[in-house]
Amino acid sequence: MPAPLLPGPRTTPRWSDLITPDALSRERWASCTRRTELVACGTEWDAVVIAPLERGLAALDRLELPLKAGHPVIADYVRLQLIVLVPAGTGHHCDLPGIRVLRGGTWLLIPSGTHGTAAATWLSPPAPHAPRLVDACRLRTALLHPDPSLAAR
Protein backbone atom coordinates (compact mmCIF):
# COMPACT_ATOMS: atom_id res chain seq x y z
CA MET A 1 0.00 0.00 0.00
CA PRO A 2 1.43 3.44 -0.92
CA ALA A 3 2.27 5.86 1.85
CA PRO A 4 -0.39 8.49 2.57
CA LEU A 5 0.23 11.86 1.03
CA LEU A 6 1.39 14.32 3.61
CA PRO A 7 0.58 17.97 3.20
CA GLY A 8 3.47 19.67 1.46
CA PRO A 9 4.71 23.17 1.94
CA ARG A 10 2.31 25.91 0.92
CA THR A 11 3.13 26.86 -2.66
CA THR A 12 0.54 29.57 -3.24
CA PRO A 13 1.95 32.93 -2.18
CA ARG A 14 -0.12 34.93 0.25
CA TRP A 15 -0.34 38.68 0.76
CA SER A 16 0.97 38.26 4.30
CA ASP A 17 4.21 36.87 2.81
CA LEU A 18 4.92 40.43 1.60
CA ILE A 19 5.26 41.93 5.08
CA THR A 20 8.98 42.59 4.51
CA PRO A 21 10.47 43.73 1.21
CA ASP A 22 12.81 41.22 -0.38
CA ALA A 23 16.39 41.87 -1.48
CA LEU A 24 15.39 42.18 -5.16
CA SER A 25 12.91 44.95 -4.33
CA ARG A 26 15.55 46.84 -2.39
CA GLU A 27 17.99 46.54 -5.31
CA ARG A 28 15.35 47.81 -7.74
CA TRP A 29 14.58 50.81 -5.51
CA ALA A 30 18.26 51.73 -5.50
CA SER A 31 18.65 51.54 -9.28
CA CYS A 32 15.28 52.86 -10.45
CA THR A 33 15.38 56.27 -12.13
CA ARG A 34 11.61 56.86 -12.24
CA ARG A 35 10.61 56.30 -8.64
CA THR A 36 7.25 57.80 -7.68
CA GLU A 37 4.66 60.35 -8.73
CA LEU A 38 1.70 62.13 -7.15
CA VAL A 39 -1.71 61.34 -8.60
CA ALA A 40 -5.13 62.74 -7.79
CA CYS A 41 -7.58 60.49 -5.97
CA GLY A 42 -11.33 60.31 -6.39
CA THR A 43 -11.68 60.36 -10.16
CA GLU A 44 -10.98 56.78 -11.21
CA TRP A 45 -10.52 55.33 -7.73
CA ASP A 46 -10.36 56.05 -4.01
CA ALA A 47 -7.37 54.87 -1.97
CA VAL A 48 -7.88 53.02 1.31
CA VAL A 49 -4.81 53.44 3.54
CA ILE A 50 -4.64 50.69 6.16
CA ALA A 51 -2.43 50.70 9.25
CA PRO A 52 -0.67 48.66 10.27
CA LEU A 53 0.56 46.96 7.12
CA GLU A 54 -0.06 43.51 8.62
CA ARG A 55 -3.74 44.30 9.09
CA GLY A 56 -4.18 45.17 5.43
CA LEU A 57 -2.26 42.14 4.19
CA ALA A 58 -4.31 39.84 6.44
CA ALA A 59 -7.52 41.39 5.07
CA LEU A 60 -6.41 40.71 1.49
CA ASP A 61 -5.60 37.11 2.45
CA ARG A 62 -9.13 36.76 3.86
CA LEU A 63 -10.52 38.08 0.56
CA GLU A 64 -8.47 35.41 -1.24
CA LEU A 65 -7.43 37.86 -3.95
CA PRO A 66 -4.71 36.38 -6.15
CA LEU A 67 -1.44 38.30 -5.92
CA LYS A 68 -0.93 38.51 -9.68
CA ALA A 69 -4.52 39.34 -10.72
CA GLY A 70 -3.96 43.06 -11.32
CA HIS A 71 -5.59 44.44 -8.16
CA PRO A 72 -3.64 47.68 -7.56
CA VAL A 73 -2.10 47.42 -4.08
CA ILE A 74 0.76 49.58 -2.80
CA ALA A 75 2.95 49.05 0.25
CA ASP A 76 4.47 51.92 2.17
CA TYR A 77 7.30 50.19 4.03
CA VAL A 78 8.36 53.49 5.60
CA ARG A 79 5.05 54.16 7.36
CA LEU A 80 4.10 50.44 7.49
CA GLN A 81 0.83 51.04 5.66
CA LEU A 82 -1.02 49.26 2.87
CA ILE A 83 -2.85 51.22 0.18
CA VAL A 84 -5.67 49.46 -1.67
CA LEU A 85 -7.39 51.10 -4.63
CA VAL A 86 -11.18 50.78 -4.67
CA PRO A 87 -13.75 52.19 -7.14
CA ALA A 88 -14.19 55.98 -6.95
CA GLY A 89 -16.91 57.04 -4.55
CA THR A 90 -16.86 53.80 -2.54
CA GLY A 91 -13.94 54.35 -0.17
CA HIS A 92 -16.27 55.71 2.54
CA HIS A 93 -17.37 52.11 3.20
CA CYS A 94 -13.95 51.54 4.76
CA ASP A 95 -14.07 54.44 7.26
CA LEU A 96 -12.85 52.48 10.29
CA PRO A 97 -10.31 53.07 13.07
CA GLY A 98 -6.78 52.83 11.65
CA ILE A 99 -8.04 53.51 8.12
CA ARG A 100 -7.71 56.67 6.03
CA VAL A 101 -9.65 57.10 2.83
CA LEU A 102 -8.20 59.32 0.12
CA ARG A 103 -10.99 60.72 -2.04
CA GLY A 104 -11.42 63.63 -4.44
CA GLY A 105 -9.25 66.59 -3.49
CA THR A 106 -6.46 64.39 -2.10
CA TRP A 107 -3.28 63.05 -3.64
CA LEU A 108 -1.46 59.72 -3.42
CA LEU A 109 2.19 58.88 -3.97
CA ILE A 110 2.30 55.91 -6.35
CA PRO A 111 5.17 53.97 -7.90
CA SER A 112 6.21 55.29 -11.27
CA GLY A 113 6.69 52.28 -13.49
CA THR A 114 7.01 48.88 -11.88
CA HIS A 115 9.35 49.44 -8.93
CA GLY A 116 8.88 52.65 -6.93
CA THR A 117 10.52 53.19 -3.55
CA ALA A 118 10.23 51.97 0.04
CA ALA A 119 7.51 54.62 0.54
CA ALA A 120 5.47 53.45 -2.48
CA THR A 121 6.02 50.07 -4.09
CA TRP A 122 3.55 47.93 -6.04
CA LEU A 123 2.76 44.67 -4.28
CA SER A 124 0.35 44.04 -7.12
CA PRO A 125 0.59 46.41 -10.08
CA PRO A 126 -2.65 47.31 -11.83
CA ALA A 127 -3.63 45.29 -14.86
CA PRO A 128 -2.41 47.12 -18.00
CA HIS A 129 -5.78 47.83 -19.59
CA ALA A 130 -8.36 47.68 -16.81
CA PRO A 131 -7.27 47.64 -13.17
CA ARG A 132 -9.27 45.24 -11.05
CA LEU A 133 -10.20 47.53 -8.18
CA VAL A 134 -10.99 45.87 -4.86
CA ASP A 135 -14.63 45.98 -3.77
CA ALA A 136 -14.77 48.42 -0.83
CA CYS A 137 -17.63 46.62 0.95
CA ARG A 138 -15.80 43.29 0.82
CA LEU A 139 -12.61 45.00 2.00
CA ARG A 140 -14.49 46.51 4.97
CA THR A 141 -15.83 43.09 5.96
CA ALA A 142 -12.33 41.61 5.78
CA LEU A 143 -10.94 44.48 7.86
CA LEU A 144 -13.58 43.98 10.55
CA HIS A 145 -12.69 40.30 10.91
CA PRO A 146 -10.49 39.98 13.99
CA ASP A 147 -6.91 38.90 13.40
CA PRO A 148 -5.58 37.03 16.46
CA SER A 149 -1.94 37.61 15.50
CA LEU A 150 -2.43 41.39 15.76
CA ALA A 151 -4.30 41.20 19.08
CA ALA A 152 -1.26 39.60 20.74
CA ARG A 153 0.88 42.72 20.19
Side-chain angles (χ1 to χ4, degrees):
M1 175 177 349
L5 292 176
L6 299 174
R10 181 173 43 85
T11 58
T12 305
R14 296 169 36 113
W15 290 95
S16 53
D17 295 337
L18 303 173
I19 190 68
T20 306
D22 59 17
L24 181 59
S25 293
R26 288 187 188 111
E27 287 175 27
R28 287 178 175 162
W29 296 338
S31 65
C32 184
T33 56
R34 291 184 58 213
R35 296 177 183 248
T36 57
E37 61 186 278
L38 280 174
V39 295
C41 301
T43 304
E44 296 179 34
W45 41 261
D46 291 346
V48 178
V49 183
I50 306 163
L53 180 64
E54 298 95 332
R55 179 183 182 194
L57 293 171
L60 293 180
D61 280 340
R62 283 191 288 282
L63 289 175
E64 298 180 351
L65 297 176
L67 283 171
K68 307 274 184 193
H71 295 92
V73 175
I74 300 169
D76 179 341
Y77 288 113
V78 174
R79 292 178 192 83
L80 299 176
Q81 298 174 336
L82 187 75
I83 299 100
V84 179
L85 303 187
V86 300
T90 67
H92 67 279
H93 292 293
C94 295
D95 277 332
L96 297 166
I99 308 293
R100 268 184 318 129
V101 179
L102 304 179
R103 307 172 174 98
T106 61
W107 294 81
L108 176 65
L109 185 68
I110 67 164
S112 181
T114 56
H115 305 304
T117 67
T121 191
W122 289 117
L123 295 184
S124 173
H129 301 291
R132 300 181 63 190
L133 301 173
V134 176
D135 180 275
C137 292
R138 289 189 63 221
L139 180 59
R140 176 189 170 86
T141 300
L143 288 165
L144 287 170
H145 187 276
D147 187 343
S149 68
L150 294 177
R153 294 176 187 204

